[in-house]
Amino acid sequence: MEYTILGWTDLKVSRIGLGTWQYSEAWGLTDYEKAKQVIAKAVELGINFFDTAMVYGRGLSEEFLGKALRELGVKRDDVVIATKIPGEFLNPHDIFKSVDKSLKRLGIDSIDLLQLHWPPCWHNYPTSAYAKTLERLILLGKVKHLGVSNYPVVLIEELRSSFSFTDVVSMQYRFNLAERWAEEELIPYAEANDLTFIPWSPLAKGALTGKYSLGALPEFKDVRGGEAVFHPENFAKLEKLLNTLRDVAAKYGKTPTQVVLNWMLKYSPVMLPIPGAKTPEQVEELAGAIGWELSYEDWRRIDEESRSIKTSYATW
């Protein structure tokens, strides 16, 4: 495994993290022993950055992650645990209450990275009010660092200006070869401010893995089936890129998944993708994206074909 530094901190994190949103009824992994096997394989392969959230499985993901790390005997300082607080909890009372519950579920004394999952769009909490409360958590030693997720740049600026003595260290957003809007202003902002950029859905919910085709798409009732990228109108646009990914993968003796992640890591030094996995074998595949490099020509070929894809979300 290769490592980098989280934002402007001194925390060493693996170049690829493990997303644990799949530990929920929605994503179908509610068997603790299977989840533990996935986490165990990640630890074995040197992955030390684990991303979860309070809303994943209504706390189940945090419970599984914390319990597994304890049972595996992983030293607390050997892993970086990142969780996320939803926008509706971002008021002074609920921030403390929800973080206390999160710490209990994870079984830890402090959270390495607390990310604001999305802005409090429907609750009108003043940014300055929750910024001050978040700083109290740092002073009290319950949170080490703060990050944002799904925040527009203008609101990040407002949040940062509301802090008295700390700053955000990371930004987490949707970004993949089929959905690249984050590169317009979010990724440049992260690069300019020494912030780690954490792409969620780096494999477009599996659409870029080569597992699916126009003739074999997830059913709409499947959680993936409702994603715009799997709508036939959009997936048809991916076919040329998917063929290229297969071609390039064969050239390097890799899989399309590994090619996609390797391309992303070469896109920017601030990238820290967090793909998910449901089996230990999938974790091995993810880790196999590290330790080799695409040639300039192959990277450019993928980049150009990706840029021609315009995913539409007005599919109904």
Side-chain angles (χ1 to χ4, degrees):
M1 181 53 59
E2 297 173 0
Y3 297 88
T4 187
I5 300 299
L6 182 68
W8 44 262
T9 77
D10 59 357
L11 288 179
K12 184 176 77 170
V13 292
S14 46
R15 289 299 309 278
I16 288 180
L18 182 69
T20 62
W21 65 87
Q22 65 271 31
Y23 304 160
S24 66
E25 289 187 4
W27 285 95
L29 185 52
T30 56
D31 184 316
Y32 168 69
E33 290 302 324
K34 290 182 179 180
K36 180 181 176 181
Q37 291 172 11
V38 170
I39 295 168
K41 179 58 68 173
V43 171
E44 176 189 331
L45 296 175
I47 294 174
N48 77 336
F49 184 82
F50 294 89
D51 182 88
T52 183
M54 298 175 186
V55 300
Y56 295 162
R58 295 179 69 85
L60 186 67
S61 175
E62 290 183 322
E63 289 179 14
F64 278 10
L65 177 60
K67 183 179 179 181
L69 292 174
R70 290 193 302 276
E71 291 186 354
L72 291 168
V74 177
K75 294 180 180 179
R76 179 67 185 88
D77 291 342
D78 289 343
V79 292
V80 175
I81 297 176
T83 192
K84 296 184 283 294
I85 180 172
E88 54 264 40
F89 291 0
L90 288 176
N91 63 73
H93 171 69
D94 281 330
I95 287 175
F96 281 111
K97 183 178 180 180
S98 60
V99 167
D100 286 346
K101 289 182 177 181
S102 183
L103 289 168
K104 184 177 181 179
R105 287 191 293 264
L106 288 163
I108 57 179
D109 294 325
S110 65
I111 295 167
D112 296 310
L113 176 62
L114 179 64
Q115 303 161 100
L116 313 189
H117 209 159
W118 56 78
C121 308
W122 301 284
H123 294 79
N124 308 308
Y125 306 142
T127 304
S128 59
Y130 64 80
K132 295 295 183 282
T133 305
L134 292 167
E135 283 193 312
R136 298 287 83 73
L137 286 169
I138 292 178
L139 279 176
L140 293 166
K142 293 303 175 182
V143 170
K144 294 180 181 177
H145 300 289
L146 298 169
V148 294
S149 179
N150 307 313
Y151 265 57
V153 166
V154 65
L155 195 51
I156 299 175
E157 287 281 279
E158 181 179 334
L159 176 65
R160 297 178 72 192
S161 67
S162 297
F163 289 138
S164 298
F165 60 83
T166 192
D167 200 356
V168 297
V169 303
S170 64
M171 300 166 59
Q172 184 175 148
Y173 300 82
R174 182 197 300 263
F175 179 67
N176 56 64
L177 284 167
E179 301 168 298
R180 298 182 59 160
W181 277 105
E183 68 186 350
E184 295 298 318
E185 60 175 357
L186 295 168
I187 295 173
Y189 185 87
E191 292 171 334
N193 288 276
D194 195 21
L195 306 176
T196 292
F197 189 88
I198 306 173
W200 61 262
S201 193
L203 300 171
K205 301 293 177 67
L208 297 172
T209 63
K211 177 181 178 180
Y212 301 97
S213 66
L214 265 179
L217 293 174
E219 295 182 11
F220 187 77
K221 63 182 180 181
D222 183 294
V223 69
R224 286 184 176 86
E227 290 287 329
V229 72
F230 283 109
H231 190 281
E233 170 191 335
N234 289 316
F235 201 87
K237 302 173 186 177
L238 290 179
E239 288 198 304
K240 182 180 179 181
L241 174 62
L242 289 173
N243 286 333
T244 294
L245 292 174
R246 294 185 185 100
D247 181 48
V248 173
K251 175 180 177 181
Y252 290 86
K254 300 295 181 179
T255 68
T257 291
Q258 293 167 335
V259 170
V260 169
L261 294 174
N262 192 277
W263 177 92
M264 184 172 286
L265 291 172
K266 290 291 290 181
Y267 181 94
S268 172
V270 302
M271 289 285 176
L272 199 175
I274 50 169
K278 288 187 176 181
T279 66
E281 292 75 21
Q282 288 179 347
V283 179
E284 290 182 346
E285 182 179 19
L286 299 178
I290 300 293
W292 61 282
E293 290 187 1
L294 289 165
S295 69
Y296 172 77
E297 291 75 18
D298 288 329
W299 191 96
R300 286 278 290 122
R301 179 184 173 190
I302 294 168
D303 184 59
E304 285 297 311
E305 291 189 8
S306 167
R307 288 186 182 281
S308 69
I309 298 167
K310 305 300 180 186
T311 299
S312 171
Y313 297 91
T315 56
W316 52 272

